[in-house]
Amino acid sequence: MTQAVRRPRSLINAVLNSDGKPHPLENTFVAVTVVLGLLAFVSSAFNNLHLLSSWSGLAGIFSGAYGQYISATTGERFLLIIGLGASAFGFFLGMAHGGLFGGLIG
């Protein structure tokens, strides 16, 4: 009698797909939001990178908001909130350092 071999799930798979179902679209929004949030957060530390931090922060806010709208598990929502917070921080600091257009318009 053979039994099905259960392979161990990876940690990220266990967190994002905690209900046992794959969520490729939702997980993509999580990854995009976290990467954009990290980019906005790190680049906001430099005054001359305000264009990068403000635009990546704005894109991270929009992707995180839509990701929250379609999220299916608590793990996805947790990581989306982390990414949204970092995106918002980078966006607002980028706006304080020069804004979305940075003197290119007006």
Side-chain angles (χ1 to χ4, degrees), residues 13-78:
N13 190 23
V15 169
L16 292 178
N17 301 326
S18 60
D19 60 352
K21 301 175 194 171
H23 305 287
L25 180 66
E26 291 88 347
N27 294 346
T28 302
F29 272 101
V30 169
V32 167
T33 302
V34 168
V35 167
L36 286 172
L38 186 63
L39 178 66
F41 185 80
V42 170
S43 64
S44 68
F46 304 99
N47 288 339
N48 57 347
L49 293 178
H50 60 87
L51 290 173
L52 179 63
S53 64
S54 59
W55 281 108
S56 61
L58 186 63
I61 290 170
F62 283 132
S63 68
Y66 187 69
Q68 281 286 353
Y69 179 69
I70 65 170
S71 64
T73 64
T74 304
E76 291 169 354
R77 293 181 192 115
F78 176 78

